Amino acid sequence: MALLEVNNLKKYFKEVKAVDGISFKVERGEVFGLLGPNGAGKSTTISMISTLFKPNEGDIKYKNVSIIDNPSAIQQKLGVVPQEIALYPTLSGYENLKFWGHAYGLRGKELSNRIEEVSEIIGIKDRLKDKIEKYSGGMKRRINIGAALLHNPEILIMDEPTVGIDPQSRNHILDTVLELNKKGMTIIYTSHYMEEVEYLCTRVSIMDKGNIIASGTQEELLEIVKGKKKINLRFDKISDNLIDRINSIDYIENVDVHDDEIILTTQNGEDIFKDLIAKSSETENSILSIDIKKPNLEAVFLHLTGRALRD
Amino acid sequence: MLSIIMLRLQRLKVEYYVFLVMTLMSLIFTFIFGATQNQDYTPTILVVDEDNSDYSKKVFSELQDNNAFKYSISEYDDAVKKVQDDKAAAALVINKGLQENIENNQKPVLGIIKTKENIDTMTLENIISSITSKMVGNIRIASITADFINQEKNIDHNKIFNEAYNKAVETWKYKKPIEISSTRLVEGNGTGYDNLTHSIIGFALFFSMYTIVFAIGEILNEKKYNTWNRILVSPISKNAILGGNLIVSFLVGFVQVGILFIAGKYLFGLNLGSNLLGVIIVLIAFVFTITSMGLFLSGLVKTHSQLAALTPVILTSTSMLGGCMWPLDIVENKIILALSNITPQKWAIEGIESIAMYGKGINGVIIPTLVLLGMGLLFFSTGVKLVKSE
Ligand SMILES: Nc1ncnc2c1ncn2[C@@H]1O[C@H](COP(=O)(O)OP(=O)(O)OP(=O)(O)O)[C@@H](O)[C@H]1O
Ligand SMILES: [Mg+2]
């Protein structure tokens, strides 16, 4: 029995099919990833699981019991880290943690102990007395996560918890997630950063436009693009002529231009160097570097949708 | 709900400034509009004693016990001239036959010469009514003729007076005598209308409304901070959010009104009469109504800044209509008077003043309290619906 089971879930906002019939399971003890670009429907999915929205259709089961008509069955078990910072800016970090702990039923000594432990986990102990509005973006993000941890939830849902912060805070958060998971917490993690999902998640569902377009372990997903290569090319400058010529190589499946970089996906790697050099020599552009990458989840997304995960 | 109440109390530590500002504003406005009129500027009332009897002298000495005005004896013609020239607020004419009338158990006739109806003349009428009603004892209603003198110059004052006098006597004889204030003057033992008291009450209610509406409007900040949704996914229910916020806003509002009344007592000598319980009952009903109104307004708008834009407009206009700034008795426009009935302020003031000024007992507050509770429930139920449907 899966810990959480989502079945044919749909949520429409008037004309917008934010979530359009998705199904997935989350097993106890795993880090489950929802990967998708902006507007894919990740947050909407999270909102339904965390009982904020009622779906138009479909069901969500927690330990085999539907939570749609009985939200309180899951509320106490869930820790939800919303995408937007959801804290009281005029209160201190400590006061915020205290309120959210209280909201989940913690009192007295137990509450203050948990505040102590959580502030250790999120690494923000020395600034707890300051008002949230005086915190940096990264510190706000950490308290935002801490507020979901006080009652030691069975399932932790994190909605893009690293958006807009410095690499150091980001690494700290990612390691915190792994640590929590090691201690037995089940985690649902949404992101549009492929690297984060690759780093954290045991199983991944890739979402796009309200649908799940692929699901599985990372290995299973990479099977989809097996044998394919991702090649990053840098030229001194990029012209339409150059792109047309590269497109004319028949075994190249996808050409994507990012600023000064061209990203290719291809089935065949043997002749690629020779062909690329030949094509570019027909133009006035010259190659600066060729970088062949192992296929990753980004490539899976690109393969399935023809678009990049970001931008 | 306990979580929400504790949270709100904690946040009050940071949001106390609304409370402070409203307290200060209320005291300043009371000082400007209430106190100055009584302390720095005392209008003069001329007394024309045509009866020259023991009773008329008694009227004069009773008048002097009341320090709302300065009183001085004057001749009739002189009085008319001074009133016309705005050198005196009004003149009181004690007509010949006062003593006779009182001794024969008839209604005494007193005249007031005035050029316009304003707070001063109203106050004077109230004072005279209570003095004469005290004096006549077994005559239940004291009546006064109110003369109106045009500001035109070339007028034979004597003629006008005679006409007015005769007309007044006629009115008194054949129709219902002109009652200056309603029966409540006779029934109780209050001090009558007092501008300072009215200002304290009016401004205390007016500025407390801001505190209350902004306190309950904090619900909108929950939405701004995204904490509203976060609470909803926690085991705390929507009802608990609303309940907790309502309770705290109610308490804050009640404390605000209380502080303003207590400050009124020590700074301005406010006297709320003998029935404090009655006043408190009206205040509870009023604070409840305004808390619910705040909830309703919060449901109408999307953000706290919209609420901040809407609130002054609504509170100021209804407070003017409802008589917070000036007594409704000086308003003559029937439409405005009718509209005043739909403002909570009118009923709260009426209830409190019936005790503080007119010495009524708990009976005086029953209807105002019921009306306030009715309005409150209406606002409450629509407000809850609006805020919840968000
Ligand atoms: N409350 C709402 N009302 C109307 N439309 C909404 C609402 N919430 C989301 N949407 C729409 O639903 C779609 C999915 O949005 P959602 O926030 O779930 O995407 P997301 O995957 O979380 O994107 P992001 O990475 O930008 O957070 C979007 O087109 C969005 O505009
Ligand atoms: Mg989102």
Side-chain angles (χ1 to χ4, degrees):
Chain A
M1 177 184 73
L3 188 57
L4 197 72
E5 198 175 332
V6 171
N7 249 317
N8 191 32
L9 207 57
K10 291 185 185 172
K11 181 75 188 175
Y12 298 165
F13 298 107
K14 295 200 180 108
E15 299 297 292
V16 182
K17 298 179 173 180
V19 172
D20 196 17
I22 62 168
S23 305
F24 60 86
K25 288 178 185 176
V26 180
E27 303 291 342
R28 181 183 299 279
E30 73 173 332
V31 183
F32 178 84
L34 267 181
L35 177 68
N38 291 128
K42 303 182 295 294
S43 295
T44 308
T45 306
I46 295 300
S47 294
M48 288 188 282
I49 296 175
S50 55
T51 71
L52 186 60
F53 297 161
K54 279 211 190 311
N56 294 76
E57 227 178 272
D59 200 4
I60 302 167
K61 284 181 178 161
Y62 166 70
K63 293 187 177 163
N64 245 347
V65 179
S66 172
I67 62 161
I68 306 288
D69 296 317
N70 181 19
S72 53
I74 197 171
Q75 281 171 342
Q76 182 70 37
K77 308 286 178 190
L78 279 186
V80 183
V81 181
Q83 179 170 356
E84 314 289 345
I85 306 281
L87 301 167
Y88 297 98
T90 56
L91 296 185
S92 71
Y94 187 88
E95 288 165 331
N96 269 281
L97 291 181
K98 191 167 158 195
F99 168 68
W100 294 109
H102 202 276
Y104 282 86
L106 300 179
R107 300 287 185 274
K109 192 100 192 89
E110 193 191 6
L111 178 55
S112 44
N113 285 345
R114 279 302 290 164
I115 295 174
E116 184 101 345
E117 286 163 30
V118 165
S119 50
E120 194 115 26
I121 294 172
I122 57 177
I124 203 140
K125 242 178 146 172
D126 46 334
R127 292 290 302 274
L128 272 186
K129 292 270 174 287
D130 296 348
K131 284 185 187 178
I132 296 286
E133 59 195 2
K134 303 232 168 77
Y135 282 15
S136 71
M139 288 162 64
K140 283 183 193 158
R141 285 271 159 209
R142 293 190 198 190
I143 293 279
N144 201 38
I145 294 171
L149 294 176
L150 291 149
H151 61 295
N152 207 1
E154 186 176 8
I155 306 174
L156 178 66
I157 301 184
M158 308 180 89
D159 195 358
E160 307 202 25
T162 61
V163 166
I165 59 173
D166 57 290
Q168 195 194 345
S169 278
R170 182 178 175 187
N171 288 340
H172 186 276
I173 288 173
L174 295 181
D175 289 338
T176 307
V177 173
L178 284 182
E179 200 136 321
L180 290 167
N181 177 247
K182 223 189 281 169
K183 288 182 188 148
M185 202 176 280
T186 306
I187 289 160
I188 301 176
Y189 192 98
T190 88
S191 181
H192 57 241
Y193 292 112
M194 178 270 305
E195 313 88 303
E196 291 186 355
V197 172
E198 277 182 349
Y199 184 66
L200 295 173
C201 299
T202 31
R203 284 189 319 119
V204 182
S205 281
I206 300 180
M207 273 194 91
D208 186 40
K209 297 180 176 163
N211 290 295
I212 290 181
I213 52 174
S215 274
T217 61
Q218 293 196 34
E219 293 74 37
E220 285 165 352
L221 289 173
L222 292 176
E223 276 293 307
I224 298 172
V225 290
K226 199 176 174 199
K228 288 190 204 301
K229 289 198 171 57
K230 195 174 145 218
I231 299 165
N232 289 15
L233 294 172
R234 292 172 61 102
F235 288 85
D236 56 347
K237 74 184 193 293
I238 295 172
S239 63
D240 288 345
N241 183 20
L242 175 71
I243 293 168
D244 286 344
R245 280 172 202 276
I246 292 175
N247 255 325
S248 71
I249 304 175
D250 55 1
Y251 54 85
I252 286 183
E253 290 181 344
N254 201 303
V255 180
D256 224 32
V257 185
H258 274 259
D259 304 330
D260 59 342
E261 211 173 26
I262 298 180
I263 301 168
L264 308 174
T265 347
T266 159
Q267 216 38 282
N268 177 339
E270 264 108 83
D271 301 327
I272 187 82
F273 281 101
K274 203 176 75 208
D275 291 344
L276 278 174
I277 291 166
K279 288 291 176 193
S280 58
S281 66
E282 292 168 19
T283 71
E284 64 276 30
N285 306 107
S286 54
I287 296 181
L288 296 179
S289 72
I290 299 181
D291 188 6
I292 302 193
K293 294 216 160 117
K294 262 203 338 228
N296 56 18
L297 292 180
E298 178 93 46
V300 176
F301 188 84
L302 192 65
H303 175 77
L304 292 172
T305 64
R307 287 176 287 119
L309 205 44
R310 277 183 282 144
D311 302 327
Chain B
M1 185 138 95
L2 184 63
S3 307
I4 300 288
I5 292 175
M6 283 169 50
L7 169 79
R8 284 304 317 276
L9 291 178
Q10 200 152 36
R11 287 175 61 200
L12 277 183
K13 283 193 300 195
V14 191
E15 292 147 7
Y16 64 94
Y17 59 89
V18 177
F19 196 92
L20 264 185
V21 168
M22 291 310 152
T23 307
L24 282 177
M25 295 273 275
S26 178
L27 295 179
I28 291 169
F29 271 74
T30 305
F31 182 73
I32 295 172
F33 286 86
T36 49
Q37 222 146 8
N38 280 19
Q39 287 171 356
D40 300 347
Y41 160 70
T42 316
T44 304
I45 302 294
L46 301 171
V47 179
V48 180
D49 186 355
E50 299 192 321
D51 195 44
N52 225 334
S53 63
D54 288 348
Y55 279 97
S56 65
K57 297 219 166 67
K58 192 148 190 297
V59 170
F60 187 67
S61 76
E62 288 264 354
L63 279 174
Q64 286 184 313
D65 285 347
N66 181 298
N67 52 13
F69 300 109
K70 281 197 293 243
Y71 302 92
S72 66
I73 296 280
S74 164
E75 286 302 309
Y76 183 80
D77 288 348
D78 209 27
V80 171
K81 188 156 175 28
K82 281 186 170 153
V83 171
Q84 257 190 351
D85 295 347
D86 263 346
K87 297 225 169 75
L92 170 68
V93 182
I94 304 174
N95 294 312
K96 236 183 167 53
L98 176 81
Q99 180 156 18
E100 228 175 276
N101 280 341
I102 291 177
E103 281 168 354
N104 295 339
N105 256 359
Q106 284 177 340
K107 292 173 187 176
V109 179
L110 299 170
I112 293 178
I113 302 170
K114 59 191 174 188
T115 53
K116 52 186 178 282
E117 190 89 31
N118 60 17
I119 292 182
D120 291 337
T121 60
M122 278 202 33
T123 311
L124 179 65
E125 284 167 9
N126 279 337
I127 293 169
I128 296 166
S129 290
S130 60
I131 290 175
T132 50
S133 69
K134 211 157 80 186
M135 282 172 61
V136 298
N138 55 346
I139 297 174
R140 286 193 56 251
I141 300 166
S143 63
I144 296 170
T145 61
D147 295 356
F148 182 79
I149 293 182
N150 254 313
Q151 284 196 303
E152 278 174 56
K153 287 282 171 194
N154 309 318
I155 283 183
D156 180 351
H157 302 312
N158 262 322
K159 205 176 135 208
I160 287 186
F161 175 69
N162 283 334
E163 256 172 34
Y165 179 77
N166 289 336
K167 224 167 145 194
V169 173
E170 243 167 74
T171 318
W172 173 61
K173 269 185 187 157
Y174 298 115
K175 296 178 199 155
K176 207 169 160 239
I178 303 163
E179 293 175 32
I180 291 307
S181 22
S182 51
T183 43
R184 59 186 171 183
L185 261 179
V186 187
E187 199 181 284
N189 50 1
T191 51
Y193 180 81
D194 170 55
N195 188 46
L196 177 62
T197 308
H198 181 83
S199 294
I200 299 172
I201 296 171
F203 286 119
L205 296 184
F206 175 57
F207 287 104
S208 303
M209 292 173 80
Y210 281 89
T211 308
I212 300 169
V213 170
F214 284 125
I216 191 72
E218 278 301 315
I219 282 191
L220 291 165
N221 272 337
E222 297 274 2
K223 289 177 180 168
K224 179 168 121 195
Y225 300 151
N226 302 312
T227 45
W228 175 263
N229 282 350
R230 192 167 196 167
I231 295 175
L232 288 184
V233 307
S234 84
I236 298 178
S237 68
K238 243 182 215 182
N239 286 334
I241 307 182
L242 290 182
N245 273 290
L246 284 168
I247 287 173
V248 172
S249 307
F250 178 87
L251 290 177
V252 168
F254 197 75
V255 170
Q256 172 83 84
V257 178
I259 286 180
L260 289 177
F261 276 20
I262 290 168
K265 181 175 154 74
Y266 288 106
L267 293 179
F268 304 109
L270 172 70
N271 179 3
L272 283 174
S274 52
N275 199 324
L276 198 60
L277 179 68
V279 174
I280 292 176
I281 290 174
V282 179
L283 287 181
I284 288 177
F286 177 73
V287 175
F288 165 72
T289 308
I290 304 307
T291 310
S292 306
M293 188 172 105
L295 185 72
F296 173 75
L297 292 177
S298 304
L300 283 185
V301 300
K302 285 267 175 294
T303 66
H304 197 268
S305 35
Q306 285 173 352
L307 182 73
L310 183 67
T311 303
V313 178
I314 291 193
L315 294 191
T316 312
S317 58
T318 54
S319 293
M320 293 198 303
L321 266 182
C324 282
M325 281 72 168
W326 48 76
L328 282 180
D329 307 73
I330 65 167
V331 175
E332 279 172 357
N333 186 321
K334 289 223 167 58
I335 298 170
I336 293 179
L337 283 175
L339 279 176
S340 75
N341 285 313
I342 60 166
T343 69
Q345 293 95 318
K346 183 226 152 158
W347 295 99
I349 290 174
E350 186 173 311
I352 296 169
E353 293 191 348
S354 80
I355 288 180
M357 292 185 189
Y358 305 111
K360 273 204 187 180
I362 212 100
N363 289 347
V365 304
I366 293 176
I367 290 176
T369 305
L370 288 179
V371 174
L372 285 172
L373 290 178
M375 289 177 174
L377 285 175
L378 200 66
F379 278 131
F380 183 81
S381 49
T382 27
V384 166
K385 253 182 232 144
L386 284 174
V387 172
K388 268 191 170 180
S389 70
E390 249 299 290

